[in-house]
Amino acid sequence: QVRLVESGGGSVQAGGSLRLSCVASGSTFSKSNMAWFRQPPGKEREFVAVIGWSGYNRIYADPVKGRFVISRDDTKNMVYLQMGSLSVEDTAVYYCAADAGIGSGIIVTTTFGYEYWGQGTQVNVSS
């Protein structure tokens, strides 16, 4: 069983930055593809970014390309999302997600590819 706990959310003005963190429990982290999703108010959960278990493969959703950076530290079982140039459209609950942790080379950008989810952290961007 994997437990994910996000932190780092908060309120920021447009143009600002935030760094989200996610700590994972369990022994499969080093073989897990890790992703961030978000759910804006009144909308469905959407993909933000994913980093492969090796750390080499990263995919970003178009709205965040060039502004967000996903990274991981396997020594700490942590995954991060550095968010910059934030806009009001980035307001959402942000969720950390992990796949089955089997060292899959298939990088998935839909919620169906992830077995474990954190409780979410709220990000509010004001104009």
Side-chain angles (χ1 to χ4, degrees):
Q1 188 71 16
V2 174
R3 183 168 179 256
L4 304 173
V5 179
E6 303 97 334
S7 62
S11 296
V12 64
Q13 288 193 325
S17 300
L18 278 175
R19 188 177 84 153
L20 305 183
S21 301
C22 172
V23 61
S25 65
S27 60
T28 60
F29 181 82
S30 65
K31 293 295 186 182
S32 298
N33 296 321
M34 300 296 298
W36 288 94
F37 287 77
R38 67 186 181 185
Q39 188 160 12
K43 296 184 180 181
E44 293 186 353
R45 196 168 298 190
E46 62 186 28
F47 168 74
V48 175
V50 59
I51 185 167
W53 64 270
S54 69
Y56 290 109
N57 298 317
R58 308 179 195 199
I59 299 174
Y60 297 92
D62 285 344
V64 309
K65 281 181 181 177
R67 300 189 299 120
F68 291 11
V69 176
I70 188 170
S71 61
R72 64 189 295 157
D73 184 344
D74 286 5
T75 66
K76 298 179 180 178
N77 278 19
M78 297 286 292
V79 63
Y80 305 98
L81 186 68
Q82 180 68 47
M83 307 187 295
S85 301
L86 286 164
S87 70
V88 294
E89 288 75 25
D90 296 315
T91 294
V93 178
Y94 283 72
Y95 297 92
C96 176
D99 73 358
I102 58 173
S104 173
I106 300 173
I107 306 296
V108 179
T109 60
T110 66
T111 58
F112 299 107
Y114 297 89
E115 293 194 10
Y116 306 102
W117 293 84
Q119 82 290 349
T121 185
Q122 178 72 49
V123 172
N124 293 312
V125 184
S126 59
S127 59

